[in-house]
Amino acid sequence: MAINRRTVLQGAAGLAAGAALGSPFGAGRAFAQGTMPEFKPEEGASLRLLRWVPFVGGEEEAFNANTKAFTEATGVEVRIDQESWEDVRPKAAVAANVGSGPDMVMSWFDDPFQYPDKLVDVTDLGNALGEAYGGWYDGLKGYATTTDGKFIAIPLCAIGNAICYRDSHVKAAGFDEFPQDTDGFLKLCQAMKDKGTPAGFPHGKAVGDGNNYAHWLLWSHGGKTVDENGEVAINSPETKAAIEYAKALYATFIPGTESWLDINNNRAFLAGQVSLTANGVSLYYAARKDPAMAEIAEDIRTTNMPIGPVGKSVELHQTSTINVFKHTKYPEAAKAWIAFMFQPERFNAWLEGASAYCCQPLKQFADNPVWTSNPVHEAYANASASLRPNGYAGPLGPSSAGVMADYVLVDMFAEAVTGQRSTEDAIANAERRIARYYR
């Protein structure tokens, strides 16, 4: 069965939005807690949002229901345009640099730092939301704030990434428990290949899954792109060890993973071509949605990425922020919409609709029952609290954003595992590319 980005969850959790929209919201009205400043939409305001295409139908339903409620309460129409995950970044950059197009964008990682001078200062809103709802998780806040504490974006969510595997196939390969360390994980992948139920991780330019995998490979072995001072540090014994480990894993994978984008590992898993990958919870719900995949859905388990020589969990997790472009005619309307979407009854409805696909950026929402409603969700519950920003060990900014947007780490591993370059040459090429951004 072919699975595309529209193969989505339509479960009971996705129905939560409709029941959660009862509270009125007048133009410029504060939050129920009374701690929010007023954001009164401009006369005749309308907004256009560019967002990534949803993987989970319940998330989209709740998001659209909340937006519709905002329009009904304020009269401000909000047009929502969707683009593929890979296309959001370039289209947002064009809009920022030409000064026209959407008023807002749901961007990836530290993309706001590629054009900070093109974005509305939303510090008043960012601080107010943090004070109202238990504070921001540091990792997510870092993706939206400058070193002096200015909010150039509003954190929206972390999209958790976890190992998804067929439990019966892991057991058939001789493992009663899923290995928690990288050595055991490699042995598992080798055994699963021998059993004809191989693993597969993306080495292609996948915005989410490819970056998550590449950064885990590097960090789990103690490597880093730059040090605390922003000096290029990719050329290290730790990076070499990470690449040699990646080569050993790649030898167990299904052929073709070097060209995989974010959707390909979903398709391969649900088609029975692989029995182990890393993905968001959307993979599980795509299986649950299709009666023909009931056996696969029942067999799916999730766990966090194995611990490497560094001795602790180090995972990237995809993040998204909401950016408001300076070219908008209606910045106050944009702030009012964002504030409205974060009202507890609305934001909780969105989290429930997303069924553990989106992890909250504000600590108050950590007690949402979605995290304990299904054991499969547990591996995703702490994504916002545990994520390591992609600029590690240096600060986030234009340089880290450029390295991420250019897929430098993803390419380094892909070049080495496929034999396009030797380990040393792949590292040297990555070093040159990183240095261009950290001049």
Side-chain angles (χ1 to χ4, degrees):
M1 175 182 174
I3 305 296
N4 57 37
R5 291 190 188 276
R6 308 297 297 174
T7 301
V8 293
L9 159 69
Q10 299 289 350
L15 303 178
L21 299 173
S23 299
F25 181 89
R29 181 173 297 178
F31 277 90
Q33 284 86 341
T35 59
M36 294 297 296
E38 291 188 359
F39 299 106
K40 186 174 182 179
E42 296 86 350
E43 189 71 27
S46 63
L47 296 169
R48 177 181 165 200
L49 169 73
L50 172 65
R51 67 155 291 171
W52 30 268
V53 171
F55 266 101
V56 175
E59 179 268 305
E60 181 182 20
E61 288 177 7
F63 190 88
N64 290 347
N66 287 343
T67 299
K68 180 181 178 183
F70 172 76
T71 298
E72 292 172 348
T74 65
V76 178
E77 293 288 340
V78 183
R79 169 181 160 185
I80 301 175
D81 297 334
Q82 297 181 357
E83 291 288 348
S84 71
W85 284 32
E86 292 78 19
D87 288 339
V88 167
R89 176 175 287 144
K91 287 184 179 293
V94 169
N97 288 305
V98 303
S100 66
D103 302 277
M104 305 176 289
V105 61
M106 286 165 54
S107 68
W108 296 129
F109 296 110
D110 48 357
D111 283 0
F113 291 100
Q114 295 193 78
Y115 35 77
D117 58 330
K118 307 293 186 182
L119 300 175
V120 171
D121 183 337
V122 289
T123 303
D124 52 354
L125 176 58
N127 285 335
L129 287 170
E131 291 169 5
Y133 300 121
W136 301 100
Y137 289 104
D138 289 341
L140 281 161
K141 184 179 180 181
Y143 281 119
T145 53
T146 59
T147 54
D148 59 359
K150 173 184 172 183
F151 279 82
I152 57 173
I154 296 296
L156 177 63
C157 67
I159 298 175
N161 189 263
I163 297 284
C164 301
Y165 65 95
R166 295 282 302 271
D167 186 52
S168 64
H169 293 182
V170 167
K171 286 183 168 61
F175 290 76
D176 291 332
E177 300 291 337
F178 198 94
Q180 298 300 304
D181 63 283
T182 49
D183 288 343
F185 182 61
L186 174 58
K187 292 174 182 176
L188 168 64
C189 290
Q190 291 168 337
M192 292 186 73
K193 179 188 179 184
D194 291 343
K195 285 288 186 179
T197 58
F201 288 73
H203 277 296
K205 289 180 169 61
V207 176
D209 298 329
N211 271 308
N212 287 326
Y213 181 55
H215 283 77
W216 169 75
L217 284 169
L218 181 69
W219 291 341
S220 66
H221 287 77
K224 51 192 173 185
T225 53
V226 296
D227 64 19
E228 293 81 357
N229 298 315
E231 298 294 327
V232 181
I234 192 69
N235 195 342
S236 69
E238 291 81 8
T239 300
K240 183 175 181 180
I243 289 179
E244 295 304 322
Y245 180 78
K247 286 181 178 179
L249 277 180
Y250 178 74
T252 74
F253 291 172
I254 184 176
T257 59
E258 62 273 9
S259 63
W260 276 8
L261 299 179
D262 282 293
I263 191 60
N264 293 100
N265 56 345
N266 300 57
R267 288 173 172 164
F269 191 99
L270 295 173
Q273 296 169 347
V274 299
S275 297
L276 189 159
T277 191
N279 208 265
V281 77
S282 53
L283 187 154
Y284 167 70
Y285 278 106
R288 276 195 50 177
K289 180 176 179 287
D290 186 348
M293 294 186 183
E295 181 180 351
I296 292 178
E298 194 66 27
D299 201 27
I300 290 175
R301 302 291 185 274
T302 60
T303 188
N304 294 115
M305 299 294 285
I307 306 297
V310 75
K312 60 182 178 181
S313 178
V314 281
E315 299 183 51
L316 178 69
H317 298 304
Q318 191 157 6
T319 58
S320 188
T321 59
I322 302 176
N323 311 338
V324 181
F325 291 116
K326 277 188 177 177
H327 62 247
T328 182
K329 297 178 181 178
Y330 309 113
E332 291 301 305
K335 291 181 185 180
W337 174 79
I338 296 170
F340 187 88
M341 298 293 274
F342 273 95
Q343 285 192 351
E345 70 273 21
R346 304 182 199 287
F347 200 81
N348 276 316
W350 182 61
L351 289 178
E352 291 165 20
S355 293
Y357 188 66
C358 297
C359 193
Q360 67 283 335
L362 288 159
K363 296 176 183 178
Q364 174 174 311
F365 299 106
D367 60 358
N368 189 294
V370 72
W371 302 117
T372 55
S373 63
N374 188 323
V376 171
H377 296 178
E378 292 177 8
Y380 303 96
N382 296 313
S384 294
S386 66
L387 69 85
R388 172 183 279 182
N390 59 272
Y392 177 85
L396 293 174
S399 299
S400 63
V403 170
M404 169 67 83
D406 205 15
Y407 292 96
V408 174
L409 274 191
V410 172
D411 289 348
M412 180 186 74
F413 283 104
E415 290 167 359
V417 301
T418 61
Q420 180 182 344
R421 296 180 189 269
S422 68
T423 295
E424 292 74 16
D425 286 346
I427 293 173
N429 188 43
E431 186 176 32
R432 286 191 294 269
R433 292 173 67 186
I434 295 168
R436 289 203 300 265
Y437 292 100
Y438 282 89
R439 285 181 290 193

